[in-house]
Amino acid sequence: MSVWNPDNIRDVAESVGIANLNNDVTENLARDVEYRIAQVLEEALKFMRHSKRTLLTTQDVALALRVLDVEPLYGYESTRPLRFGEASLGPGQPLFYVEDEEVDFEKLINAPLPKVPREISFTAHWLAVEGVQPSIPQNPTAADSRNLELVSKGPNANATLAAISGVGNVAVKPLVKHVLSKELQLYFEKVCNAFLDESSEEYRTSGYSSLREDPGLHQLVPYFVQFISEKVTHSLKDIFVLTQVMHMAEALVQNKSLYVDPYVASLVPPILTCLIGRQLGGTADLSEQFALRDLAASLLGLIAKKYSHSSHTLKPRLARSCLKTFLDPAKPFGAHYGAIIGLHAVGGPEAVRVLILANLRTYSNLLTDALTDDNPRRPEAERVLAALLGVLATLREGHTSPLTNGHAAVLSDELRLQLTERVGDLIASRIADAGEVHLAHAIVTSER
Amino acid sequence: MSAPGGAPSPAPRSANIAGGGSMPMQQQQPMASTTPVGAPPQGTHQPPQSSAMSQQNLNQIVIDYLAKKGYSRTEAMLRMESANQEIDGRPLPPLGEEARPKYRLGFDLLKVWVEDNLDLYKPELRRVLWPLFVYSFLNMATSFYMHDAKQFFETNKNLFLPEHTDDVRALEPISLPEHVQDNSVAKLYRGNKYRIVLSNPAFSNLIQFLENKQKEGGSVMSAILSSFCTVITKERAVDDRFSFAAMLGQAGSDQFLPAEDEGIPGHHPGSAYTGDNPAMAGTLPRLKLGKLAMEPTLESDVRGELAESDEKEPPALGRNTLVQEFEQMIKKEEDEEGPSRADIPYPPATARDLAMEVQKVKENRDRFRIEGRTGGVGPAVSVCMFTFHNTYDGVNCLDFSDDNMLVAAGMQESYIRVWSVDGKKIPSTYDNVDGKQQQPSNSHRLIGHSGPVYAVAFAPSTTRTDDSIAPTNARWLLSSSADKTIRLWSLDLWQCMVVYKGHDHPVWDLKWGPYGHYFVSGGHDKTARLWVTDHIRQQRIFVGHDQDVDCVCFHPNSAYIFTGSSDHTVRMWAVTTGNAVRMFTGHTGNITALSCSRNGKILASADDQGSIILWDLAPGRLLKRMRGHGKGGIWSLSWSVESNVLVSGGADGTVRVWDVSGPAQDPAQGRVVGEGGAGTKIDAGNPGAASAQTSTSGIGKKKGKDVVVSPDQISAFPTKKSPVYKVKFTNMNLIIAGGAYLP
């Protein structure tokens, strides 16, 4: 029950040479010692509190003793908390002691001086701007502060305040309804219908050009974005619809008077779907399918170029999704095709060299398998090969070969060998057949 | 001595009887003394002193007779029965082992009874348990029933933990009567009467119950009530605390908060009078909360200066000229009396004062205006956070200068460090100090204290502008430390100027007066002291707190100071007289921060249990309690210029913004919807509210702690693992916050 029992008192008494202490005395002393300890701790807690700490240090205890007019205990380091060792005296009788290392004086003197602790410094950041906490690295993320009770709950709580501070999943009805004028609504419907009109080419073109050029459509942007992603989700089998909404996205991005930046995040997923989706257009013609992927790739490239300044992570994110598909052998070749051209569109030759070339040797095995005569996937694989060669060809640009003069347009055996080493037999032979010496050099000399 | 009823022994019979009666308990003492030991058994011929005496003697005669006749069994029977009688023949209260005061039994009985009582009385009757618990425990401890006392304490302490954590912790180690004499909390309880307010019916109910159960411990409970408590009874109808609606409201909150007028200081709400004189009870001295009038010469100078700059740069369309702004600022509101300059002498104004006043007017005009809650949306405040790194928890306190150029940190390692906020080099005022060139750098160390530094404070200053007549930057810094001293540092020379000695123990907190010159400090020695910078001794000592004075603060007109203490009270003192003029009770934890609103009408105080309380100064009333911070201390509070928004920062690493004028009461009281009969309808007819309520309580239970966020919180901004030591509204209504990153 008590922390400090009479046995301890007896032990201490014996250690100072008092052998026979009365039982009553030990009992009383034990109680008193316990009380005094609590008293000292109570004072020490005050010092801790005023130091705005939550950890009691030996210095707090020393100061508390001083306040109580007792000589403090010297010899305890105050900079870090005490460490206690545990020794067992027997079953259920742990003994705790302060770990006190023995230090060799020689060694201590000769040891290099400890590192100077880092200087106290401070940084400033905005914890809140106009009542909203900006999401910058200096501020905790919503996930970090999930456990904190930040918003008032209950019947009296003000839901608006919670919504403004951005925490709490309070379902708030917007105070102001988003009002669209009749004309805009009409326009929206017309344009959507026009885009999806299979019968009239003119109708489609006029819709496209209107969306691309007309100012004053800003209110409709979220609705268009919504429309695009809806259509892509629901008509994955209809290559015509997919192509048309891609055009619509393009028109939106191209329209100079629209500010699409905030919507890029929601615009990208449908485009990626059209680029690296597993199955596009169901039974549609292969060339149509690949044409859609080409369109999506160019659109992605456009977006990457246009909006990378407003979002630093946009390009890496896009490239990562493409690369993931490219490296997944389970994906159909159509998806690989999309990934390859997508990577090129997003990152240019640099991405080709770093991301595609590095993985090409392994990938060519996959291709070689598919290119055997009786394989049903052969036509698709051919397209992928063509696309690969196409993007590899971009490596040639800007590469000035030291061997332009005096060498015929044939590959030396040595070069051929290196090339095979680099990109695998299949592609190497294709390059060699085409006599692309510069390209071969570019590939071989590009750093791994 | 043998128990009565032993074998009959003829010789010392009478002594035996008397002794037998007086043996077990002291209550019998009077009887023993009135019955002369060894008096002749045949006392009948003595004139009976009273009828009681004759009764006793009669017993003796009969016993003697029975002994003589040898009716030993009858004699034994008679002895047994007569031993338990009081002098006048009534049966005595039970004695012996049985006779230990039945604190535990009584308390347990009462506990059950309170819980079984009508919901109407439950909340108030629950309040009775705490004093009974404390006094029972202390009484048991003083009368050496240590084992019982410990057990009693252990079994019941959980009942009181949420509200009386500190007291429970302080009382827990008590195990000897000497400790009761020694322990400060115990002394407080034993030396004072606990004041408690009950409504009439509840009180009569209670007394009735205790009388009924007298034998089972009711008597000791009522003894405690009568000797250690002051029970004040009130008509139910007068006090709206006892209204049905308030009861209903209380049921929703998970914690029952003490009434303002309950507790040891025992005082009328707000009043600082704690004496016994009923005529004085509840007196509220008149306060002069108005602004301190400006010196007439300074005022005209300021006006001239402002007119000049108005001419130079006329204000934008629709804005006030500086002079107009100034008139508005110094305009006295009616029915508001300010202290006179004679009461609080200041040195004559200098050019610097003039420049500061001018700058204040300019800042006031150009500030970001916080107009209060409009359309349910709080003001959009901005917070700039300064996070200190690599501190290893060594920073004790922070302060930002009013000109926003400097930040000072008081360290555990006894030194103070001052940085420039913008990271630029601090320009030195004097080139050649001590014959050596000072190297300009962006920080300075001030070394001099010999103990941890617990408070630093910059003297008032205003933003330095190029066109001002005199430099208005911060020039002085005060610091207080565990070494019992306060030091004044010059920020021109970066040296210690004065050491103020006076406190007998560590100095916890200090604050400058609103115009400099004066400052106030509070410390471990339970006093707060008022100092003038040019005197090394204190000018006033404010004594009255029962525990350490943890934090202090000035009223903006510098006629009053506020102190917050570990005894859970906040007091307001008049500077001129040194007397306490208000006392505020209601906190359940140590007071960690105080701040008076800029209009001088409201005081905000925060405790380490996470609640902030607003007090209306003039009537001395609690305005509202704002909850939201986690436990562990709210280190700093600050008011906006308009006094309608409060910001707080604390150990839970959040900066929170509060609406002062928002929902008038906390959720507990705010839910008062109907009265009387309509009360039942609330729960039945409004399932939405009911379910919402249950869901909150569900959350509370799940988390196991009582973090309730009251609805007047405008927003909360969490930091990354950085306890916030200081928050401050600048004159332009930007919030500056400072904290240390503790990974």
Side-chain angles (χ1 to χ4, degrees), chain A residues 152-159, chain B residues 663 665-672 710-712:
Chain A
S152 165
K153 291 184 180 117
N156 272 8
N158 187 333
Chain B
Q665 285 162 318
D666 62 354
Q669 293 147 23
R671 259 181 3 96
V672 179
S710 55
D712 36 18

Side-chain angles (χ1 to χ4, degrees), chain B residues 167-194:
Chain B
D167 284 349
V168 166
R169 212 179 51 218
L171 291 173
E172 199 162 11
I174 291 179
S175 54
L176 289 174
E178 293 84 61
H179 298 162
V180 178
Q181 310 299 327
D182 186 65
N183 188 295
S184 59
V185 175
K187 262 198 293 199
L188 206 63
Y189 275 93
R190 302 266 298 178
N192 295 283
K193 287 193 163 189
Y194 194 93

Side-chain angles (χ1 to χ4, degrees), chain B residues 458-480:
Chain B
F458 281 106
S461 58
T462 54
T463 315
R464 191 199 283 245
T465 47
D466 298 329
D467 56 343
S468 64
I469 6 170
T472 58
N473 60 330
R475 293 182 61 203
W476 305 100
L477 178 79
L478 277 172
S479 63
S480 74

Side-chain angles (χ1 to χ4, degrees), chain A residues 3-124:
Chain A
V3 183
W4 196 267
N5 55 32
D7 290 345
N8 297 97
I9 297 286
R10 212 163 287 128
D11 291 346
V12 173
E14 274 166 23
S15 74
V16 294
I18 305 169
N20 292 317
L21 260 187
N22 192 330
N23 268 352
D24 284 349
V25 174
T26 51
E27 189 115 335
N28 255 6
L29 269 179
R31 283 180 182 161
D32 200 55
V33 167
E34 198 172 330
Y35 172 73
R36 300 294 159 196
I37 291 175
Q39 203 183 3
V40 171
L41 283 180
E42 197 66 30
E43 287 299 319
L45 280 177
K46 281 184 191 167
F47 284 92
M48 179 191 86
R49 213 172 59 229
H50 283 280
S51 300
K52 302 190 172 68
R53 271 183 281 112
T54 48
L55 199 68
L56 193 71
T57 64
T58 45
Q59 199 190 359
D60 292 332
V61 178
L63 286 166
L65 288 171
R66 214 182 283 259
V67 161
L68 292 170
D69 251 347
V70 185
E71 193 176 351
L73 295 168
Y74 297 104
Y76 292 100
E77 195 184 7
S78 62
T79 48
R80 63 189 160 99
L82 280 182
R83 261 186 313 175
F84 291 95
E86 188 182 338
S88 175
L89 283 179
Q93 273 193 312
L95 179 74
F96 293 96
Y97 59 94
V98 180
E99 270 183 16
D100 201 1
E101 289 170 48
E102 271 184 30
V103 181
D104 190 359
F105 202 56
E106 261 322 287
K107 254 188 212 159
L108 187 71
I109 287 179
N110 294 328
L113 286 175
K115 262 204 276 181
V116 179
R118 301 176 99 191
E119 263 247 288
I120 297 180
S121 61
F122 64 90
T123 53

Side-chain angles (χ1 to χ4, degrees), chain A residues 187-438:
Chain A
Y187 174 84
F188 177 70
E189 249 161 58
K190 285 254 179 208
V191 168
C192 289
N193 285 336
F195 263 95
L196 298 183
D197 193 327
E198 292 194 46
S199 55
S200 161
E201 170 83 33
E202 288 160 33
Y203 203 24
R204 288 202 298 266
T205 335
S206 64
Y208 174 77
S209 65
S210 160
L211 195 56
R212 193 186 153 125
E213 304 293 342
D214 281 356
L217 299 180
H218 197 256
Q219 274 197 300
L220 286 176
V221 172
Y223 294 89
F224 279 122
V225 171
Q226 170 85 5
F227 178 78
I228 290 168
S229 62
E230 225 166 69
K231 281 293 161 197
V232 168
T233 335
H234 293 288
S235 16
L236 267 179
K237 298 222 164 110
D238 192 337
I239 205 106
F240 172 76
V241 173
L242 291 181
T243 317
Q244 280 315 110
V245 294
M246 282 303 104
H247 280 303
M248 188 185 252
E250 189 209 337
L252 282 179
V253 174
Q254 296 274 22
N255 192 328
K256 285 195 184 63
S257 56
L258 294 186
Y259 181 65
V260 191
D261 292 43
Y263 304 103
V264 165
S266 25
L267 198 54
V268 161
I271 300 176
L272 276 178
T273 310
C274 289
L275 181 68
I276 51 179
R278 263 172 183 281
Q279 280 292 321
L280 293 178
T283 56
D285 187 32
L286 210 58
S287 60
E288 264 185 64
Q289 212 191 95
F290 281 97
L292 173 63
R293 291 189 197 271
D294 283 338
L295 175 62
S298 65
L299 188 51
L300 206 62
L302 181 68
I303 287 177
K305 202 170 83 210
K306 202 164 168 188
Y307 300 110
S308 59
H309 63 90
S310 63
S311 163
H312 294 295
T313 52
L314 180 66
K315 269 191 184 182
R317 280 208 320 257
L318 292 176
R320 202 173 306 134
S321 341
C322 290
L323 186 64
K324 223 160 114 192
T325 313
F326 177 56
L327 294 181
D328 187 352
K331 288 262 164 76
F333 278 116
H336 286 158
Y337 176 85
I340 291 164
I341 54 177
L343 271 175
H344 178 249
V346 171
E350 187 61 26
V352 174
R353 206 180 63 224
V354 177
L355 299 176
I356 297 185
L357 201 53
N359 300 305
L360 214 47
R361 229 183 111 205
T362 0
Y363 189 73
S364 70
N365 297 337
L366 188 70
L367 268 185
T368 324
D369 285 350
L371 283 174
T372 46
D373 284 330
D374 50 348
N375 197 315
R377 296 165 72 198
R378 179 167 175 144
E380 292 181 28
E382 281 288 359
R383 292 225 172 221
V384 172
L385 187 56
L388 266 179
L389 287 174
V391 298
L392 283 178
T394 57
L395 285 180
R396 198 174 40 188
E397 290 162 21
H399 183 85
T400 47
S401 171
L403 306 165
T404 32
N405 291 331
H407 281 270
V410 277
L411 269 77
S412 62
D413 283 349
E414 185 196 355
L415 190 57
R416 173 73 193 264
L417 218 60
Q418 283 176 348
L419 196 58
T420 315
E421 171 80 10
R422 202 69 204 274
V423 298
D425 198 30
L426 177 71
I427 298 171
S429 65
R430 290 291 172 119
I431 292 174
D433 290 351
E436 296 269 22
V437 189
H438 294 287

